Amino acid sequence: MPVTQVGRSILLVDDDQEIRELLDTYLSRSGFHVRTVADGAQFRHAMASDPADLVILDVMLPDEDGFSLCRWVRGHQRLAQMPIIMLTASSDEADRVIGLELGADDYLGKPFSPRELLARIKALLRRVNFGQERVSDVLAFDEWRLDMVSHRLFHQDGEEVLLSGADFALLKLFLDHPQQILDRDTIANATRGREVMPLERIVDMAVSRLRQRLRDTGKCPRLIRTVRGSGYLLAAQVAPHYDSLG
């Protein structure tokens, strides 16, 4: 069994007891430590006492929806990097768009197979491990500094910007290839294991969200530029930064 999998903790939030029991059994047999809760209040309490390595979050809950819980997670510095997979019984693409814009890392529609969910969990955890193991420095670009270990992003005015796992993966891709055109296939393959809507929509949403984080939201973005018919390009020099952050 992969080292990246054994002992990892998953917190599942779903008001359907049958789904909770099924996934608890299946994921536990796959080597994960699984906790399950039925609503938003229990989720907040569980996260406050013992955060998980990954969250599976149903959209429809009895007390508050999964969107508000996703927003709550992304608003807390110590939880902001936690991978989130959202579940929905709705086929409405708008639900998927909202979840991804709020910082969910992946989306799965009900009904789904536990085997597919497991594959997505493994893909997300591999991506997190890759980002942590391959780099150990701070990179400076334009007016920003990114700690590649803690995933902390700072502006030169001192503001810290919280990044989701998907935000970090996309920013890292651009920093690894500064001033190079990246097509949508390259971006999608690097930032999301499987597609939950048309590839072009996924990539454009991810880039738009990252531009917001980087204050690059003008009519003609200057930092992450659109290259018509080709993809996107980070128009900045990237260099190691040796001063401490924070």
Side-chain angles (χ1 to χ4, degrees):
M1 192 174 297
V3 174
T4 56
Q5 182 175 324
V6 178
R8 289 299 188 97
S9 62
I10 294 176
L11 179 57
L12 167 66
V13 192
D14 199 304
D15 61 342
D16 187 318
Q17 182 176 350
E18 184 176 345
I19 290 179
R20 292 199 308 273
E21 293 176 352
L22 170 66
L23 293 181
D24 187 356
T25 300
Y26 186 84
L27 295 176
S28 295
R29 288 176 178 172
S30 298
F32 293 100
H33 172 63
V34 182
R35 290 177 293 156
T36 68
V37 295
D39 57 39
Q42 294 177 31
F43 170 73
R44 291 173 186 266
H45 177 75
M47 291 295 287
S49 61
D50 186 16
D53 292 311
L54 181 142
V55 168
I56 302 171
L57 184 58
D58 190 22
V59 170
M60 299 299 294
L61 296 170
D63 52 352
E64 61 180 309
D65 61 48
F67 298 134
S68 65
L69 296 177
C70 182
R71 184 184 297 110
W72 177 76
V73 170
R74 293 300 182 231
H76 285 71
Q77 179 176 313
R78 72 188 184 101
L79 306 177
Q81 312 303 326
M82 184 179 304
I84 296 176
I85 298 176
M86 298 197 77
L87 307 177
T88 180
S90 171
S91 60
D92 189 352
E93 184 179 290
D95 277 358
R96 302 185 178 201
V97 171
I98 292 171
L100 294 172
E101 287 182 338
L102 289 173
D105 297 282
D106 205 347
Y107 221 105
L108 197 57
K110 296 179 178 179
F112 58 86
S113 72
R115 184 177 180 180
E116 180 178 8
L117 176 62
L118 177 61
R120 296 192 181 203
I121 290 170
K122 290 179 179 179
L124 279 176
L125 292 177
R126 280 197 302 269
R127 193 177 74 192
V128 170
N129 287 341
F130 179 83
Q132 291 176 343
E133 293 170 1
R134 290 289 300 275
V135 293
S136 60
D137 54 354
V138 175
L139 295 181
F141 63 102
D142 195 59
E143 301 173 345
W144 298 92
R145 291 170 294 154
L146 178 67
D147 187 318
M148 302 296 280
V149 176
S150 69
H151 299 189
R152 301 176 71 192
L153 176 67
F154 290 86
H155 189 262
Q156 65 182 14
D157 65 10
E159 179 192 2
E160 179 176 358
V161 177
L162 298 179
L163 298 176
S164 70
D167 293 333
F168 175 80
L170 179 54
L171 180 54
K172 180 182 183 300
L173 178 65
F174 280 120
L175 295 179
D176 285 344
H177 303 87
Q179 303 184 43
Q180 297 179 32
I181 298 173
L182 302 178
D183 61 33
R184 286 182 168 83
D185 285 324
T186 299
I187 294 174
N189 289 336
T191 58
R192 196 167 304 280
R194 299 191 57 159
E195 299 161 17
V196 295
M197 63 182 67
L199 179 146
E200 183 171 336
R201 187 73 178 275
I202 291 175
V203 171
D204 291 346
M205 283 172 46
V207 170
S208 176
R209 188 171 60 240
L210 182 58
R211 281 172 169 163
Q212 293 177 24
R213 306 288 189 265
L214 297 173
R215 306 181 185 178
D216 193 30
T217 56
K219 185 175 181 181
C220 297
R222 64 177 186 82
L223 190 53
I224 300 178
R225 297 179 182 173
T226 301
V227 181
R228 190 174 299 277
S230 298
Y232 294 96
L233 174 147
L234 176 68
Q237 297 285 344
V238 179
H241 185 89
Y242 298 103
D243 293 337
S244 60
L245 293 176

